[in-house]
């Protein structure tokens, strides 16, 4: 049976852990609110830009653009977005598992080995140790996500897509649904899905473009790729904070329950010790 001092030390250690997990939950809750606000601010821009792309696609031969052309027979590039830290439940494990399933689902051909672009320390550490073809890596991004980070990743994706050995680019990340729900999404980034003009009952408006619709499309398509990458980063950031907040809340409750159990056990041990001492005193008095 452990001594009372050992039990007290363990209770103090669990209480200290409980304070840490509670503080981490509060920090993640504060960061989650800011991340949600950034998502809500970015969605109108992405929707309006998609509407403009649809309008331009209806006025040009969009299929001739290099970012819209299918390139069958080439291996894909997979952009894996994970967190830099753990203590977020299954947040990182789910993304890595989905990325591994995507890799194993490709045809078993050495010429079609999946190339990787790794965002986040957890994903980088996992895949780098296993000898994958890593074309790009970045860590420390989620401390302060910026538009320049999304542009750098998008430029790398476009550059690799234009290379002769890469035929498509995919994103795998955690999409924020709610505080309790994050969904892993695997979506194609390049080539961009065929754009179609939105159906409307109103007669189409004939615009005057300067520069030409073709030149505008050339400029907007790379911007569209950067916006999609930025959206994925913001979704992952919010999902990470939500997952960590949920995990730390569960850890805090578990620590509280453990403290209650240890306290009850400590009281039983102390009671048994007192009872034993009383019995020894009475036995000694009787013998005298």
């Amino acid at each position: 049976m452990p001594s009372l001092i050992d039990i007290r030390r363990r209770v103090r250690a669990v209480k200290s852990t409980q304070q840490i997990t509670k503080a981490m939950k509060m920090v993640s809750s504060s960061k989650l609110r800011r991340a949600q606000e950034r998502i809500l601010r970015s969605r109108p821009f992405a929707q309006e830009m998609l509407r403009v792309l649809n309008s331009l696609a209806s006025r040009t031969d969009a299929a001739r653009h290099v970012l819209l052309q299918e390139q069958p027979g080439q291996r894909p590039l997979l952009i894996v977005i994970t967190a830099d830290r753990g203590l977020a439940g299954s947040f990182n494990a789910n993304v890595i598992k989905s990325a591994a399933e995507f890799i194993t689902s490709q045809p078993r051909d050495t010429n079609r080995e999946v190339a990787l672009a790794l965002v986040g320390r957890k994903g980088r550490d996992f895949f780098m140790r296993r000898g994958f073809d890593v074309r790009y890596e970045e860590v420390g991004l989620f401390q302060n996500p910026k538009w320049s980070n999304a542009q750098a990743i998008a430029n790398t994706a476009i550059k690799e897509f234009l290379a002769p050995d890469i035929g498509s680019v995919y994103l795998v990340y955690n999409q924020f649904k709610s505080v309790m729900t994050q969904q892993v999404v695997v979506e194609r980034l390049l080539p961009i899905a065929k754009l179609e003009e939105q159906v409307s009952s109103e007669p189409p408006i004939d615009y005057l473009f300067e520069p030409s619709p073709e030149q505008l499309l050339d400029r907007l398509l790379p911007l569209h790729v950067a916006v999609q990458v930025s959206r994925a980063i913001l979704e992952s950031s919010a999902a990470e904070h939500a997952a960590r907040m949920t995990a730390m809340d569960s850890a805090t409750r578990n620590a509280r329950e453990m403290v209650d159990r240890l306290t009850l056990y400590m009281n039983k041990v102390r009671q048994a010790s007192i009872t034993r001492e009383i019995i020894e005193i009475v036995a000694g008095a009787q013998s005298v």
Side-chain angles (χ1 to χ4, degrees), residues 181-253:
T181 306
Q182 300 86 41
Q183 180 181 359
V184 179
V185 176
V186 180
E187 63 183 24
R188 191 177 73 177
L189 182 64
L190 291 171
I192 299 173
K194 183 180 179 181
L195 302 174
E196 297 178 356
E197 186 178 6
Q198 297 178 349
V199 178
S200 176
S201 59
E202 300 178 359
I205 302 176
D206 189 14
Y207 295 99
L208 295 177
F209 292 95
E210 181 63 34
S212 66
E214 291 78 8
Q215 293 176 320
L216 286 175
L217 195 63
D218 291 340
R219 297 182 182 180
L220 287 179
L221 285 177
L223 179 61
H224 173 74
V225 176
V227 168
Q228 296 304 315
V229 173
S230 175
R231 178 184 57 82
I233 292 174
L234 294 178
E235 293 277 359
S236 293
S237 177
E240 178 195 358
H241 296 315
R244 181 168 291 111
M245 186 180 71
T246 302
M248 292 301 98
D249 181 61
S250 177
T252 302
R253 291 198 306 269

Side-chain angles (χ1 to χ4, degrees), residues 52-67:
V52 173
L53 284 175
N54 289 333
S55 178
L56 289 173
S58 65
R59 293 170 170 82
T60 61
D61 186 7
R64 296 179 59 185
H65 198 282
V66 64
L67 297 183

